[in-house]
Amino acid sequence: MDVEGEGTVNLVSKEGDSFEVPVVVAKMSELVKSMMDEDADDEDVTEIPLPNVKAAVLQKVIEFCEHHKKEPMTEIEKPLKSQNMADVVQKWFADYVDVEQAVLFELILAANYMDIKALLDLTCATVAAMIKGKTPEEIRTTFNITNDFSPEEENQVREENKWCEEA
């Protein structure tokens, strides 16, 4: 394996699909980087299995990493200054996370598993923007969450956490 970061490596998805990626892009993933460093003495290791990442999601992750290498994403300010991701990050990154909820959550899982901080920050900030300024009922509707509290339990929780809403 070329320790200089040149050349390519194959990232293999859950389904067994292989994606040839420049080493410098692949190493944005701390998981991939550590697997490559462990095998640095083995010249033939060019495949990195990623059994927790579906092919379609891995393709999106690679797209993010390639773009991030060309145009690094601006740091996401916390707390978020807007519900609109275009106000938080550059247009390309805002468009990138403008996807169905299921895809967004798959990207969060992949970013967490592969340990790609910038992607995890972006996807989690997107979910935070979806929640920002909403009531618990609106959040339940947005994320299709069933309210399993009885009215009495809900009132009790609201009373215990009243300080939260006052902040």
Side-chain angles (χ1 to χ4, degrees), residues 49-114:
L50 299 167
N52 294 0
V53 185
K54 295 177 186 167
V57 176
L58 183 55
Q59 199 163 8
K60 289 270 304 166
V61 169
I62 293 166
E63 178 188 355
F64 173 88
C65 292
E66 287 173 338
H67 189 85
H68 193 280
K69 277 294 174 196
K70 286 184 252 164
E71 177 196 9
M73 185 177 72
T74 55
E75 187 73 24
I76 296 174
E77 289 180 40
K78 296 166 194 83
L80 288 179
K81 60 184 177 184
S82 171
Q83 287 177 293
N84 181 357
M85 288 307 291
D87 296 337
V88 179
V89 292
Q90 299 100 308
K91 182 180 179 347
W92 187 92
F93 295 102
D95 291 344
Y96 175 85
V97 288
D98 187 14
V99 293
E100 291 178 20
Q101 256 185 43
V103 174
L104 182 61
F105 291 132
E106 291 273 355
L107 285 170
I108 289 172
L109 293 173
N112 187 48
Y113 170 69
M114 293 177 70

Side-chain angles (χ1 to χ4, degrees), residues 3-136:
V3 273
E4 304 299 308
E6 294 177 16
T8 60
V9 62
N10 289 321
L11 302 181
V12 183
S13 71
K14 178 180 194 169
E15 300 87 343
D17 295 347
S18 187
F19 297 87
E20 191 173 329
V21 181
V23 168
V24 68
V25 171
K27 283 191 168 186
M28 276 189 68
S29 162
E30 291 297 325
L31 174 72
V32 171
K33 185 178 178 193
S34 68
M35 291 171 87
M36 290 175 72
D37 290 347
E38 285 173 11
D39 296 327
D41 52 339
D42 186 352
E43 294 293 315
D44 299 328
V45 176
T46 56
E47 279 198 353
I48 305 287
L50 299 167
N52 294 0
V53 185
K54 295 177 186 167
V57 176
L58 183 55
Q59 199 163 8
K60 289 270 304 166
V61 169
I62 293 166
E63 178 188 355
F64 173 88
C65 292
E66 287 173 338
H67 189 85
H68 193 280
K69 277 294 174 196
K70 286 184 252 164
E71 177 196 9
M73 185 177 72
T74 55
E75 187 73 24
I76 296 174
E77 289 180 40
K78 296 166 194 83
L80 288 179
K81 60 184 177 184
S82 171
Q83 287 177 293
N84 181 357
M85 288 307 291
D87 296 337
V88 179
V89 292
Q90 299 100 308
K91 182 180 179 347
W92 187 92
F93 295 102
D95 291 344
Y96 175 85
V97 288
D98 187 14
V99 293
E100 291 178 20
Q101 256 185 43
V103 174
L104 182 61
F105 291 132
E106 291 273 355
L107 285 170
I108 289 172
L109 293 173
N112 187 48
Y113 170 69
M114 293 177 70
D115 197 0
I116 304 172
K117 185 184 182 320
L119 181 56
L120 189 60
D121 287 350
L122 176 64
T123 51
C124 288
T126 303
V127 172
M130 294 165 81
I131 292 171
K132 189 175 176 70
K134 291 191 174 168
T135 65

